[in-house]
Amino acid sequence: MVSDVKVKGSAVYAIPGGIESGKVLAIAINCQGSGVLTVQVKPAGVSFPLTCEKGEIIPTLNEIQMSKDHPEASLNFTSKSNVTWSFAAGWDPNPPRRQ
């Protein structure tokens, strides 16, 4: 799943096929503008805030190992309208080993 446009404000994107336990979800995000973009993986209970800067594109990559199956899931992005963002997400076929 990929967002190939710049988005302002909040949006929800379904995760096709839902979440499978043990898989690693990779989410790459670019944000710009003064404010915070909060990303939630629902219903997995995972969320993280990103601080965005005016006049500067802030790239971020998060990889999250899923612990439970969820047949229906989504990525929820929440921000005020002065933050512009885009993302790409997918399942990492070769995630780093956790120690």
Side-chain angles (χ1 to χ4, degrees):
M1 109 195 71
V2 175
S3 166
D4 57 0
V5 296
K6 293 180 181 174
V7 179
K8 282 193 171 197
S10 301
V12 176
Y13 293 88
I15 298 174
I19 293 172
E20 288 183 40
S21 175
K23 286 195 167 187
V24 174
L25 180 62
I27 308 169
I29 303 164
N30 289 327
C31 71
Q32 181 179 12
S34 182
V36 174
L37 173 66
T38 301
V39 182
Q40 295 177 301
V41 182
K42 288 192 172 183
V46 175
S47 68
F48 53 92
L50 303 172
T51 302
C52 309
E53 300 289 332
K54 183 177 180 180
E56 187 175 341
I57 296 174
I58 306 295
T60 303
L61 174 65
N62 277 329
E63 290 196 332
I64 307 158
Q65 185 165 10
M66 298 290 119
S67 61
K68 293 183 181 178
D69 290 336
H70 296 283
E72 294 184 18
S74 63
L75 293 174
N76 294 30
F77 297 86
T78 307
S79 73
K80 296 190 177 181
S81 61
N82 57 333
V83 173
T84 302
W85 53 272
S86 62
F87 82 98
W91 298 106
D92 189 339
N94 300 303
R97 292 184 136 188
R98 307 257 183 229
Q99 295 183 15

